[in-house]
Amino acid sequence: DKGDAQVMFRVPPVAMGQRYRIRFEAKADRFKTIGFGVSRMVDPWLGLGIYFDVGVERFWKPYHYEFVANADCDKPRIL
């Protein structure tokens, strides 16, 4: 049931070739698949090196991901 809600966070600029870490906790009322990634907040709306679908269950669980930015971007977002 992806698409039930969308959350977006603006984050500090990213630099091509630099490694970044994303950490968050999530839970759902029933098993759901959520998608998250880092992309540009302005046109062109291109991804910046990470996009995953994650299975979220009924209990809080930490998630940790690392990625290397594939472009410079002054206005990135996590969505």
Side-chain angles (χ1 to χ4, degrees), residues 20 23 33 44 71:
Y20 297 92
R23 297 183 300 163
T33 300

Side-chain angles (χ1 to χ4, degrees), residues 32-72:
K32 291 185 180 190
T33 300
I34 64 169
F36 80 92
V38 178
S39 69
R40 294 172 50 94
M41 187 177 268
V42 295
D43 190 21
W45 311 95
L46 301 173
L48 293 170
I50 186 171
Y51 185 88
F52 278 106
D53 286 329
V54 176
V56 177
E57 306 206 25
R58 296 184 65 164
F59 53 90
W60 285 106
K61 179 180 172 185
Y63 296 86
H64 305 271
Y65 296 91
E66 289 189 8
F67 74 101
V68 175
N70 61 13
D72 292 330

